[in-house]
Amino acid sequence: MNLKNYNAAYYSQWPSKIRIIAFGLLFGINSCSSPLYVPGKDNIPATANIDNLKKGRELYVSKCASCHTLFLPEKYNRIEWSKTVNRMQPKAKITDEEKNLILDYLSKGK
């Protein structure tokens, strides 16, 4: 994109969600990120419940991505994720059970 042709007044008329999506696609915000892991027998501890981890992943994507970019689970440890998920619980309007499923997914059932 040639930034010399950028017209802020034109783009400011777009609704905010459309602007976010358009600029995200235009600048490739997520083009370099790795995909979120899908729980499987080869990437979780043997003691973990694969069905719960899959539910946690679905909740993480549906509840958290609606407001912001998702972070990869390996970016933080369980304690750090716990602080974040606890802080975001009221904003995301998730139950304690959903919070625990998301936390288990993010910490890969450890």
Side-chain angles (χ1 to χ4, degrees):
M1 173 180 176
N2 185 350
L3 293 179
K4 291 179 185 176
N5 296 331
Y6 174 77
N7 182 341
Y10 172 76
Y11 293 107
S12 66
Q13 296 172 8
W14 295 6
S16 62
K17 286 190 178 185
I18 292 175
R19 283 195 310 260
I20 292 168
I21 292 168
F23 286 110
L25 292 173
L26 185 64
F27 292 107
I29 289 174
N30 290 321
S31 63
C32 297
S33 65
S34 301
L36 294 172
Y37 85 97
V38 177
K41 292 181 182 181
D42 58 333
N43 62 2
I44 62 168
T47 57
N49 182 319
I50 194 166
D51 292 329
N52 284 348
L53 294 181
K54 286 181 180 181
K55 288 177 192 172
R57 183 184 190 279
E58 290 173 17
L59 287 166
Y60 181 54
V61 171
S62 67
K63 298 288 186 171
C64 304
S66 62
C67 294
H68 54 79
T69 302
L70 298 177
F71 292 97
L72 294 176
E74 55 270 13
K75 183 164 176 83
Y76 303 106
N77 63 37
R78 186 174 180 92
I79 294 169
E80 294 166 325
W81 276 122
S82 181
K83 290 176 186 176
T84 301
V85 174
N86 284 331
R87 182 174 45 81
M88 295 302 297
Q89 183 179 7
K91 294 177 185 179
K93 297 181 176 99
I94 57 174
T95 66
D96 287 340
E97 181 183 353
E98 291 171 325
K99 176 186 77 168
N100 290 329
L101 288 168
I102 292 169
L103 183 57
D104 283 347
Y105 167 73
L106 292 170
S107 59
K108 294 190 176 187
K110 297 177 187 172

